Each structure stands twice: as C-alpha cells, then as structure tokens.
Amino acid sequence: MKTIGNIIWFIFGGLAMAFGWLIIGALWCVSIIGIPIGLQAFKIARLALFPFGKKVIYGRGAGNLILNMLWLIFGGICLAVGSFIVGCLYCITIIGIPFGKQHFKLAKLALMPFGASISS
C-alpha cells in the first residue's frame, strides 16, 4: 500500500513540493550561517518525495530546542500552517485522508526539524 501511496503522492504534488524545499535549502546554503537551515530543508525535501512508510523520530536537547525556536521565528510557523491547511483540505474526502495525514507529518516536521531524524 505504501508503494501505491508514494507513487500517487509523487505524481500529484510530491515532486513539486520536494523541488521547492530543495530550492529553499540551496538558497539557505549560499551563506555559511544558513547552512544548518538549508540542511533541515533538504531533510524535509527527502520526506516530501516519498512520505508513506516513513517515520519521523524527534530528538531532545537544549541545542535543538534553541535552534527550533529560531526556526519557528524565521518561517517555520508559516510552512507548518501551509501544510496543515492542505492536510485539512485533503481530509475532506475519505480517499484523501491518507494524504492529509502525510501533510500533517510534514507540518509537524516543519515546526521542529532540528534534532529530528527520518526512518523507514
């Protein structure tokens, strides 16, 4: 089931979403200070390509907390709200619920990307 879900996701928006995250990550990596933020954008792009069957494991630590708070201030909330709204729109129909759940996963990762890891 996850293979079919990933194929449908990839065709109907996953590739475009991942490409957008890759562009954002590349722009952040232009400056030395932005490299950590760019790496987090690459992490989200990798999950945006094929989210079905993947889990996000959130780490702990004071350093991650501080970086996540800075991430929220500089755009994380807007990105998470966007994914949350799209997820709600997908959940209107029964067929769209699995895709909505994947958007909710991306929204949570967009809130707290530092210290998070993606596992299969």
Side-chain angles (χ1 to χ4, degrees):
M1 185 64 184
K2 72 178 183 177
T3 305
I4 294 171
N6 279 327
I7 291 170
I8 294 170
W9 176 275
F10 184 80
I11 293 171
F12 292 107
L15 180 63
M17 185 183 298
F19 186 68
W21 278 106
L22 285 172
I23 290 173
I24 290 170
L27 289 174
W28 273 107
C29 286
V30 169
S31 69
I32 294 174
I33 296 171
I35 290 175
I37 297 170
L39 294 177
Q40 300 311 310
F42 293 148
K43 181 190 307 182
I44 296 171
R46 187 176 53 225
L47 181 65
L49 271 178
F50 301 109
F52 286 91
K54 303 234 171 96
K55 293 181 183 178
V56 180
I57 301 167
Y58 295 96
R60 302 192 190 273
N64 293 333
L65 177 66
I66 293 168
L67 290 171
N68 281 327
M69 292 172 86
L70 290 172
W71 172 271
L72 285 173
I73 293 169
F74 293 111
I77 291 176
C78 295
L79 298 170
V81 168
S83 288
F84 180 77
I85 290 171
V86 172
C88 288
L89 291 174
Y90 270 111
C91 286
I92 291 173
T93 65
I94 293 174
I95 295 172
I97 290 175
F99 299 100
K101 289 171 74 174
Q102 300 309 314
H103 274 286
F104 296 146
K105 184 190 318 182
L106 286 167
K108 187 175 178 183
L109 183 62
L111 281 176
M112 302 177 290
F114 289 95
S117 61
I118 300 168
S119 67
S120 298

